């Protein structure tokens, strides 16, 4: 194989057989842990034929889970765009006390177990929680209802956009914004006509990752959801319920939708990187 | 338009960037802010623009106090060191930006904006490049786009931060001349920041020499060169030699050798004597500073000599007529013909003590 024998690269890669072994190990690892399960998901989903597959997806409980998942993402992602852009803007364009604390706090959802994230909301809003009695007297249901699911999802996904934008905006500095202001632009015009175009690909990348996680989140949502069929079940939770009922074909059918989402995200992400030479590798995630 | 700065002080944390600076730029003047990095020259420029604000002191344009007004209200053109062109806009989009963000009732029509952009691109000699993106331009072209963009909003004041810093020598020289012409043609008041003394002396009407957040001297280029106000200015602007001397009883002594013809302008005690390479002659033994020649190089119509003096780290640099040039290894005696004395404790630019 020409790749392994290329003499120009031998100096860096060591003997050709080492290169071959390393590449094979990486490929085998990917096949075993990523490709195989993915194939299995679709295989299981279609085991009873395309009819059963469509049947499982058209089931009212499944449709309700899909709708809830879309609703949750539709609320969480825009809010996290606003939060992420504001946080990245504040951190990279201003100097203020507590900046490092803010950066650390943004990373918190990554370092905390999702189950703990869910429990925090139960502690806050649950019947025995701090705000429980007050919520009860005002007839507001958060835990075991849609608001709880949305809150938990927002918490778990808020680092994605901010984390993507902070290094990008730090690298770009303030010159462009200052130039726009010196030309008479207002803050609003500067933001929409200079800042947003400068960060658009990084932003889109962050939104993609944020969305994938918002739709796929299990742990935190599982704690606050209450698993009420047709009401508080998101797609990942619905997959689990069906699986626990030994309804494998239906379970894998819904799971295949999530897998498809992952594949679409991956393709879009690669397309973005290829088309605009934007690399997410400098962001740490 | 005149610019008046009075008593400007600016701190960044514990660092004093500007320390009670006052300065006036006259209408139509081309002013250079010259100093080493960290001297506060860029901060001063940004305060004039309204991109930074002073802790103490005031800024006026034509006598109107505009200290608290933001950059958008000041109608200044600002050219950034790295140009800060909008990378997602074409050259024409960049140049037209200032016009396109005007409030609706003041905003020219699209056709009018296009016409003005063409005019400006013609002015900066880039008429054919309107459709390109900044990344497709050379450094000198980007610089001119940045200028055209700043001029589009018809500022009366043009502020430039290290305008030629990122360009190679040839382009730099052409752009300098061109910028000077532009300044005169448009009747601007222009101020530029530079650390390059040659650039400041060649281009500016007056040069403001800065060090450690203070103004050392404000003068026309000839005066800055010939009559430096401090040891720092003498050292920083132009080539110079520095001799540690003692002033005693109306005499200037280097060791035990009395240097003739130099006015003892400072109080008795230690001093530092500065002179330019061309302001010295070779004398007979017994007078002047003894030095041994280490290097002789031809220069146009003269010879540049480097000569070591016992007890000094840096060699003296001297220009003498080519036919009087000594040979390397020879002992010479150097008599400054025109020199300036400063007290020994005055700071200098280079770390050569």
């Amino acid at each position: 194989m020409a790749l392994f024998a290329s003499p120009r690269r031998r100096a860096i890669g060591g003997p050709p057989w080492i290169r071959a072994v390393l590449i094979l190990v990486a490929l085998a690892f990917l096949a075993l842990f990523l490709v195989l399960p993915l194939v299995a998901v679709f295989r299981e989903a279609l085991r009873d034929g395309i009819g059963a597959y469509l049947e499982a997806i058209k089931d009212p409980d499944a449709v309700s889970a899909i709708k809830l998942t879309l609703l949750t993402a539709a609320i969480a992602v825009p809010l996290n765009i606003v939060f992420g852009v504001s946080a990245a803007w504040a951190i990279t364009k201003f100097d203020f006390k507590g900046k490092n604390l803010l950066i650390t706090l943004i990373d918190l959802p990554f370092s905390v177990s999702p189950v703990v994230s869910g429990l925090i909301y139960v502690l806050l809003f649950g019947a025995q929680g701090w705000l429980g009695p007050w919520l009860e007297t005002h007839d507001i249901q958060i835990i075991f209802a849609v608001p709880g699911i949305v809150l938990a999802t927002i918490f778990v996904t808020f680092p994605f956009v901010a984390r993507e934008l902070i290094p990008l905006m730090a690298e770009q500095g303030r010159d462009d914004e200052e130039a726009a202001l010196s030309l008479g632009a207002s803050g609003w015009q500067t933001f929409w006509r200079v800042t947003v175009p400068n960060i658009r690909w990084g932003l889109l990348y962050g939104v993609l990752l944020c969305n994938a996680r918002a739709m796929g989140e299990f742990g935190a949502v599982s704690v606050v959801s209450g698993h009420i069929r047709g009401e508080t079940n998101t797609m990942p939770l619905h997959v689990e319920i069906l699986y626990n009922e030994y309804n494998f074909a239906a379970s894998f059918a819904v799971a295949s939708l999530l897998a498809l989402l992952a594949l679409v995200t991956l393709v879009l992400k690669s397309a973005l990187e290829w088309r605009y030479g934007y690399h997410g590798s400098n962001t740490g995630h | 338009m005149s610019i008046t700065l009075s008593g400007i002080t600016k701190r960044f944390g514990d660092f004093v960037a500007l320390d009670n600076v006052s300065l006036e730029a006259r209408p139509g003047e081309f002013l250079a802010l010259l100093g080493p990095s960290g001297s506060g020259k860029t901060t001063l420029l940004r305060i004039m623009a309204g991109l930074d604000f002073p802790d103490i002191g005031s800024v006026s344009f034509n006598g109107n106090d505009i200290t608290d007004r933001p950059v958008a209200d000041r109608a200044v053109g600002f050219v950034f060191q790295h140009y800060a062109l909008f990378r997602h806009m074409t050259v024409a989009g960049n140049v037209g930006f200032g016009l396109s963000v005007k409030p609706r009732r003041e905003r020219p029509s699209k056709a009018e904006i296009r016409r003005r952009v063409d005019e400006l691109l013609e002015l900066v000699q880039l008429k054919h490049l309107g459709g390109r993106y900044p990344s497709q331009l050379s450094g000198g072209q980007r610089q001119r786009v940045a200028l055209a963009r700043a001029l589009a909003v018809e500022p009366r004041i043009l502020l430039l931060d290290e305008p030629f810093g990122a360009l190679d020598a040839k382009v730099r020289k052409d752009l300098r001349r061109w910028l000077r012409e532009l300044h005169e043609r448009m009747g601007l008041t222009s101020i530029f920041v530079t650390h390059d003394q040659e650039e400041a002396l060649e281009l500016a009407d007056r040069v403001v020499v800065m060090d450690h957040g203070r103004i050392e001297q404000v003068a026309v280029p000839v005066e800055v060169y010939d009559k430096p106000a401090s040891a720092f200015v003498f050292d920083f602007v132009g080539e110079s030699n520095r001799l540690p001397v003692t002033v005693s009883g109306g005499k200037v002594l280097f060791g035990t050798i009395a240097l003739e013809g130099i006015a003892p302008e400072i109080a008795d005690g230690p001093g530092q004597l500065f002179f330019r390479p061309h302001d010295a002659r070779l004398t007979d033994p017994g007078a002047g500073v003894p030095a041994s020649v280490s290097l002789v190089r031809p220069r146009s119509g003269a010879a540049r000599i480097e000569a070591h003096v016992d007890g000094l780290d840096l060699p003296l640099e001297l220009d003498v007529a080519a036919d009087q040039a000594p040979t390397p290894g020879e002992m010479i005696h150097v008599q400054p013909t025109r020199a300036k004395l400063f007290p020994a404790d005055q700071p200098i630019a280079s770390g050569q003590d």
Side-chain angles (χ1 to χ4, degrees):
Chain A
M1 289 197 274
L3 178 69
F4 298 148
S6 163
R8 198 160 45 83
R9 305 193 122 211
R10 193 173 294 166
I12 310 163
W17 66 267
I18 287 191
R19 197 197 315 274
V21 165
L22 284 176
I23 292 174
L24 285 178
V25 165
L27 286 178
F29 194 86
L30 278 176
L32 191 63
F33 286 92
L34 283 175
V35 180
L36 214 58
L38 202 59
V39 170
V41 166
F42 285 98
R43 216 186 117 82
E44 288 295 314
L46 293 166
R47 190 167 57 173
D48 298 342
I50 191 84
Y53 179 83
L54 291 175
E55 200 63 32
I57 289 174
K58 279 192 282 189
D59 175 75
D61 286 346
V63 170
S64 151
I66 292 169
K67 276 186 182 164
L68 180 57
T69 296
L70 292 176
L71 174 74
T72 306
I75 298 172
V77 173
L79 282 176
N80 277 328
I81 292 175
V82 172
F83 166 79
V85 172
S86 320
W89 180 286
I91 285 168
T92 56
K93 313 269 170 179
F94 305 130
D95 296 310
F96 56 92
K97 278 185 182 147
K99 192 161 157 172
N100 284 325
L101 183 70
L102 184 56
I103 296 174
T104 311
L105 285 179
I106 287 172
D107 274 344
L108 190 69
F110 279 151
S111 50
V112 167
S113 159
V115 176
V116 177
S117 315
L119 279 176
I120 295 167
Y121 287 97
V122 174
L123 280 175
L124 272 178
F125 303 118
Q128 268 73 49
W130 290 359
L131 300 172
W134 186 87
L135 289 170
E136 202 164 344
T137 55
H138 289 80
D139 205 19
I140 301 170
Q141 177 103 28
I142 290 183
I143 297 302
F144 305 141
V146 175
I149 292 172
V150 172
L151 280 176
T153 305
I154 289 171
F155 177 80
V156 172
T157 56
F158 82 57
F160 287 98
V161 174
R163 267 283 137 202
E164 204 60 44
L165 291 182
I166 289 168
L168 181 66
M169 290 171 85
E171 186 202 319
Q172 289 177 347
R174 312 177 202 189
D175 278 8
D176 282 15
E177 278 80 14
E178 284 183 346
L181 292 173
S182 80
L183 292 167
S186 66
W188 190 246
Q189 285 171 320
T190 302
F191 178 73
W192 285 109
R193 300 192 47 178
V194 174
T195 307
V196 169
N198 273 347
I199 62 171
R200 59 190 157 182
W201 301 118
L203 183 62
L204 198 55
Y205 193 94
V207 167
L208 271 178
L209 293 179
C210 181
N211 183 59
R213 183 65 186 268
M215 292 191 173
E217 174 58 22
F218 180 84
V221 169
S222 172
V223 175
V224 297
S225 139
H227 304 267
I228 307 165
R229 279 191 184 216
E231 281 181 40
T232 64
N233 254 357
T234 60
M235 285 165 74
L237 301 183
H238 193 61
V239 171
E240 193 207 19
I241 288 184
L242 291 172
Y243 187 83
N244 287 344
E245 290 170 348
Y246 305 106
N247 193 350
F248 296 133
S251 166
F252 279 109
V254 179
S256 73
L257 291 180
L258 285 171
L260 262 177
L261 168 74
L263 285 176
V264 168
T265 304
L266 209 67
V267 168
L268 283 177
K269 178 171 115 43
S270 308
L272 277 181
E273 282 174 1
W274 173 77
R275 174 75 176 80
Y276 301 100
Y278 173 75
H279 299 291
S281 56
N282 60 347
T283 64
H285 292 290
Chain B
M1 197 179 279
S2 72
I3 305 170
T4 311
L5 303 170
S6 39
I8 303 274
T9 295
K10 175 74 180 175
R11 290 185 189 84
F12 294 107
D14 291 336
F15 178 71
V16 181
L18 292 170
D19 184 5
N20 195 15
V21 169
S22 296
L23 177 67
E24 171 139 15
R26 302 169 192 142
E29 198 169 29
F30 204 143
L31 212 59
L33 301 181
L34 172 67
S37 55
S39 59
K41 55 194 192 303
T42 295
T43 305
L44 196 62
L45 193 78
R46 289 174 58 86
I47 283 176
M48 292 184 211
L51 292 170
D52 271 326
F53 295 91
D55 299 330
I56 310 171
S58 69
V59 184
S60 321
F61 289 173
N62 270 354
N64 302 316
D65 189 321
I66 47 104
T67 311
D68 297 323
R69 300 268 288 280
V71 60
D73 293 354
R74 292 195 188 186
V76 297
F78 197 98
V79 177
F80 290 79
Q81 186 175 3
H82 302 291
Y83 319 135
L85 296 179
F86 307 131
R87 67 207 85 179
H88 60 281
M89 292 182 205
T90 60
V91 165
N94 266 281
V95 174
F97 183 85
L99 297 172
S100 71
V101 294
K102 279 183 185 288
R104 193 155 309 216
R105 60 200 152 69
E106 295 169 34
R107 193 187 310 159
S109 68
K110 283 223 166 91
E112 171 68 8
I113 291 179
R114 209 172 307 128
R115 197 185 62 73
R116 295 271 293 280
V117 167
D118 281 347
E119 247 175 52
L120 283 156
L121 285 178
E122 175 128 41
L123 181 75
V124 300
Q125 298 153 13
L126 292 174
K127 198 170 173 60
H128 53 294
L129 296 182
R132 296 253 187 112
Y133 283 88
S135 60
Q136 298 167 312
L137 302 179
S138 72
Q141 290 169 335
R142 283 181 212 182
Q143 170 66 282
R144 283 183 280 160
V145 173
L147 258 166
R149 184 177 70 176
L151 294 173
V153 291
E154 299 183 330
R156 309 301 305 141
I157 293 170
L158 187 60
L159 304 171
L160 308 107
D161 188 6
E162 297 273 3
F164 313 107
L167 304 172
D168 53 51
K170 173 77 176 82
V171 179
R172 195 183 294 197
K173 212 151 186 140
D174 292 345
L175 259 183
R176 256 190 229 168
R177 194 172 309 126
W178 175 83
L179 179 63
R180 177 77 222 195
E181 281 168 23
L182 193 75
H183 162 85
E184 268 155 32
R185 189 154 19 129
M186 305 197 66
L188 296 163
T189 303
S190 306
I191 299 177
F192 73 102
V193 157
T194 181
H195 61 269
D196 182 341
Q197 37 115 350
E198 197 186 318
E199 201 164 279
L201 296 184
E202 213 180 284
L203 200 55
D205 294 324
R206 285 194 303 159
V207 178
V208 180
V209 187
M210 296 187 68
D211 183 39
H212 286 110
R214 290 168 170 276
I215 291 179
E216 293 275 326
Q217 186 171 14
V218 184
V220 295
V222 174
E223 203 174 312
V224 170
Y225 188 81
D226 283 342
K227 294 175 188 159
S230 67
F232 173 84
V233 178
F234 209 124
D235 190 33
F236 189 70
V237 178
E239 294 178 301
S240 62
N241 295 299
R242 175 170 170 266
L243 285 175
V245 294
T246 319
V247 178
S248 161
K251 283 188 171 162
V252 179
L253 303 167
F254 175 75
T256 56
I257 305 157
L259 298 173
E260 303 293 328
I262 293 161
E265 302 148 299
I266 59 168
D268 278 12
Q272 40 188 340
L273 186 76
F274 285 87
F275 61 97
R276 306 279 183 210
H278 50 78
D279 286 336
R281 62 186 167 81
L282 305 184
T283 66
D284 303 324
V289 180
S292 77
V293 177
S294 56
L295 204 73
V296 180
R297 287 183 183 283
R299 283 208 156 190
S300 49
R304 164 59 57 97
I305 299 170
E306 277 188 27
H308 278 281
V309 178
D310 273 352
L312 291 190
D313 292 340
L314 290 174
L316 296 180
E317 294 183 316
L318 307 164
D319 290 337
V320 299
D323 55 351
Q324 293 170 18
T327 48
E330 205 176 315
M331 278 303 287
I332 55 172
H333 294 80
V334 180
Q335 170 67 48
T337 50
R338 208 160 63 121
K340 183 111 174 110
L341 256 178
F342 296 102
D345 55 0
Q346 268 199 12
I348 55 167
S350 38
Q352 56 166 268
D353 346 49

